[in-house]
Amino acid sequence: MRTYKIALCSLATLLIWDIHSSIASPQPSPEDTIVVQLPVVPGDPNNPADFPVNDTNQAVDPQDVKDELGEIEIITPRQQQPPQRRQPDVQLLLRSSAFTSSNITGFEAFQPSDTVFINSATLLATPKLGEETRLVAAASGGLVRYADQGDFNYNYLNFNVGIQQRIARGMYGQLGWVQERLYRDGNGDRLLLDDSVRLSVGRQDQLGDRLRLDSFYELRASFATPSEQNRVANTLGARLRYDITPQLQGALDYRLSLRDFTQQERFDTQNQIGLEAIYSINPDFFISGSASYLFGASSDPNVDLDNFSVGISIGLNVPLF
């Protein structure tokens, strides 16, 4: 009988599978471990850089205008404004992506490349609880398939719920719970059950008419089955986005993750640099291409975190109500 040890960062960014045999061996088997780089796509509820949810129909605060203009009253002709699109409270997010990975095992001695295909659906609810508070809840499911390493195919389920609070203009905080389940394709054996408490703080800064900087910090404590995957992770990230045209955006991402495994002698330091281009065919349908490079170090000498990937994604957002 086999057991599986899986080190999971986030299904939105990186999956690290350490799948070992229950028969004790000082050196894990290379063919039983997967390191998978998943491109970060817009609208992913697990991605802290995507918060807060845009609220396009939010009214301008009169006090903010008064603070900027003082008591000056400016009279201008009334202009016809195009109707603003209301942010739906419940959406269905459909995603399909394919990408290559240069290192799917994560081992120093065995580093094959492969092409990975991912199809997922997410039911996302973001109703307002108050003027500055929003509920964020999501349920996701997906299929992950490998072009060559079919024995590594798996399915996943994600559930998360959190409260998002506006702290200041362009700044937010969120506290929530996330559960992630991974199942082996075919026999349906569960590979991982991971319950996490997540605290994130983010900020959006408009640097110009077309340039915006999104930054965030996330603290995540994970309690997993198997317990060897219990860990505390700290992540710092920044995303520089430039609107090339109203439909085409380019983005540069950087993330630093520090993961301390509490039930084993392992500490990972990981850097991720990514480039992405997003073309919006309409407000609810987009195509994106991405390239990402991961590098870092682990206290486990058998682990090699370096990985390069190139991928393409298609996304459809279906507003429900």
Side-chain angles (χ1 to χ4, degrees):
M1 179 179 180
R2 296 174 63 85
T3 59
Y4 303 93
K5 299 179 181 179
I6 303 171
L8 175 65
C9 178
S10 172
L11 287 170
T13 55
L14 175 71
L15 286 179
I16 299 180
W17 287 23
D18 293 335
I19 306 176
H20 301 164
S21 172
S22 60
I23 301 176
S25 172
Q27 296 297 328
S29 173
E31 65 270 16
D32 283 338
T33 298
I34 306 173
V35 172
V36 181
Q37 161 66 33
L38 299 185
V40 177
V41 296
D44 193 321
N46 287 314
N47 179 19
D50 279 340
F51 294 121
V53 178
N54 291 331
D55 191 1
T56 56
N57 65 334
Q58 183 176 0
V60 177
D61 188 347
Q63 186 61 43
D64 293 339
V65 177
K66 183 176 179 181
D67 291 342
E68 294 177 2
L69 299 181
E71 299 298 331
I72 300 176
E73 297 291 340
I74 300 177
I75 301 176
T76 58
R78 185 182 299 271
Q79 297 180 354
Q80 294 293 331
Q81 297 291 336
Q84 292 181 318
R85 187 171 182 266
R86 177 185 176 275
Q87 174 71 38
D89 290 335
V90 179
Q91 301 180 72
L92 178 63
L93 312 181
L94 303 177
R95 303 288 186 263
S96 182
S97 61
F99 63 94
T100 61
S101 175
S102 66
N103 177 12
I104 67 169
T105 66
F107 276 126
E108 178 68 29
F110 183 63
Q111 300 181 2
S113 60
D114 205 348
T115 301
V116 187
F117 304 92
I118 304 171
N119 294 286
S120 66
T122 300
L123 185 64
L124 174 64
T126 57
K128 278 192 170 185
L129 303 179
E131 289 299 322
E132 309 291 343
T133 309
R134 186 186 294 273
L135 172 70
V136 179
S140 306
L143 309 176
V144 180
R145 300 293 182 263
Y146 294 81
D148 299 323
Q149 305 293 333
D151 291 341
F152 293 149
N153 292 344
Y154 67 94
N155 308 321
Y156 69 85
L157 292 173
N158 278 8
F159 305 94
N160 72 72
V161 62
I163 300 296
Q164 182 186 113
Q165 178 69 37
R166 184 188 184 207
I167 300 173
R169 181 188 295 182
M171 191 173 182
Y172 69 95
Q174 182 168 315
L175 177 64
W177 162 84
V178 180
Q179 184 181 89
E180 298 175 332
R181 297 170 175 259
L182 273 63
Y183 298 92
R184 181 169 293 280
D185 179 47
N187 58 23
D189 289 346
R190 191 180 72 190
L191 303 174
L192 176 74
L193 173 62
D194 187 298
D195 286 285
S196 302
V197 178
R198 182 174 66 179
L199 172 66
S200 58
V201 179
R203 181 178 177 85
Q204 296 180 345
D205 293 289
Q206 196 70 37
L207 305 181
D209 292 340
R210 299 185 178 184
L211 188 64
R212 193 181 82 183
L213 176 65
D214 297 344
S215 55
F216 73 91
Y217 164 75
E218 180 185 84
L219 172 63
R220 183 165 177 165
S222 297
F223 308 91
T225 302
S227 61
E228 289 84 353
Q229 301 310 312
N230 290 354
R231 65 203 176 279
V232 176
N234 291 271
T235 303
L236 282 171
R239 179 182 180 89
L240 191 63
R241 192 189 80 173
Y242 182 74
D243 297 330
I244 303 171
T245 71
Q247 290 181 294
L248 179 63
Q249 292 84 40
L252 172 65
D253 284 293
Y254 172 74
R255 298 187 182 209
L256 170 65
S257 297
L258 307 175
R259 296 192 296 271
D260 185 8
F261 292 80
T262 60
Q263 300 298 313
Q264 57 174 304
E265 294 296 327
R266 178 178 171 181
F267 186 89
D268 293 351
T269 301
Q270 180 180 282
N271 299 272
Q272 177 181 353
I273 300 174
L275 289 171
E276 186 175 26
I278 307 165
Y279 181 75
S280 299
I281 298 174
N282 60 50
D284 293 315
F285 184 43
F286 70 88
I287 299 175
S288 68
S290 63
S292 180
Y293 177 57
L294 280 80
F295 60 97
S298 174
S299 61
D300 186 340
N302 299 308
V303 175
D304 187 338
L305 299 175
D306 292 357
N307 185 31
F308 178 75
S309 68
V310 177
I312 185 170
S313 298
I314 299 175
L316 175 65
N317 303 334
V318 182
L320 299 179
F321 54 86

